[in-house]
Amino acid sequence: MPQMNDQVFYLDQASFFAWVYKILYPVEWLMTQILFYFHKALTFIGFQDGPGVAWVLSIMLLVIFVRLCILPLFIKQMNSMRKLQAIQPKLQHIQAKYKGKTDQASREAMNRETMKLYQDAGANPMGSCVPALFQGPVFMAMFYTLTAARYIALDNGAKEPFGAFTVEVAKQIEGTSLFGVSLADMFPTADTHGKVIIGIFIALMCLTMFLSQYYNLRRNLPRASMEGPQYSMQRSMAFIFPVMYIFSGVMFPSAVLVYWLTNNLWTLGQVIWQVHNMPTPGSPAHEAKEIRDRKKEEERRERKGLPTIEEEALAKAKEAQAAQAEKGHQRQQPKRNRSKPKSKR
């Protein structure tokens, strides 16, 4: 975390993750360019550098740009998660089958059955981690970039300009305010008004993250998976992770909070869309979707004057019954023919 010493840019000099930020330099350089050109485009179409408009929108557009770039990965993650969640009851059955068995043969058998279950379902346990592995470095690069702007603006050698972030551009970002709070402000350095606004942002970040996790847990898990120690741990993590935001968010510049909150809102919208349109089989959301789909189909049939679903099912059952009876009649016919005595000449 950056220290409050304006003479030293802590992320470059003494941070435990300093070497990571150095590795991510190409991403950080690209971030400055994307932000700069988003800002340039917004000012071109009429947005001014007034209080919190162009630069704040540029940060929000950056979130949208990044999330659109990883949308194919998200779709892959979503399909992988649906498959994993759908096989959770079978996975729990395997775990219960070998519970308490610590011998080598039992462990190998459990691993074989687990891998076969994954293979048969086409599920990849690591598939749901790919977008997170991509977003992690992107967020770290964004944190570094927006934090560096404050030190570049000081023009005292604490941080040299890089990418599109010249001293002039950094001063524009630092001078931009949102709800009366500078994008460079952090909770410890802000005045009372700033602390309130930053606190609201942190609270919204916690709330959106909690809703994303809890909505997914309560609506998109198979009912058979909503029990046991694993589910209890998942539910606990839905409370713990948002609380961790409080301790990290107070040390982030307001610009990073804008990025983070926008990202959380996108994630929440994504989760709601996924649960509504592509729920996991056997989950409460899947049951609700089946009811909605049935209602839509009934309305479509009514508009077109078609038989109802029940009438169609009854007609098919009668057809199947008639076809079965016809097959039975045909099987019995040759027997009757063979039983007739041959006529004498």
Side-chain angles (χ1 to χ4, degrees), residues 201-214:
F201 266 79
I202 295 173
L204 290 174
M205 285 162 49
C206 295
L207 178 62
T208 49
M209 185 180 188
F210 169 76
L211 290 176
S212 296
Q213 295 187 74
Y214 200 72

Side-chain angles (χ1 to χ4, degrees), residues 277-343:
N277 294 284
M278 300 182 67
T280 302
S283 65
H286 187 263
E287 296 170 1
K289 187 176 185 299
E290 288 183 330
I291 294 173
R292 292 196 307 271
D293 290 346
R294 182 183 179 88
K295 184 177 180 181
K296 289 179 182 178
E297 178 63 16
E298 290 174 345
E299 291 173 351
R300 184 188 72 82
R301 290 169 178 266
E302 185 177 356
R303 287 195 305 269
K304 294 188 175 183
L306 299 174
T308 64
I309 297 176
E310 291 80 3
E311 290 171 346
E312 183 178 296
L314 182 60
K316 287 182 178 179
K318 288 181 178 179
E319 289 176 3
Q321 187 177 7
Q324 189 69 23
E326 180 64 23
K327 287 181 181 179
H329 177 72
Q330 290 175 356
R331 285 196 298 268
Q332 292 174 1
Q333 189 66 31
K335 293 180 181 179
R336 287 197 294 267
N337 290 340
R338 288 196 297 270
S339 65
K340 289 181 180 178
K342 293 183 179 180
S343 60

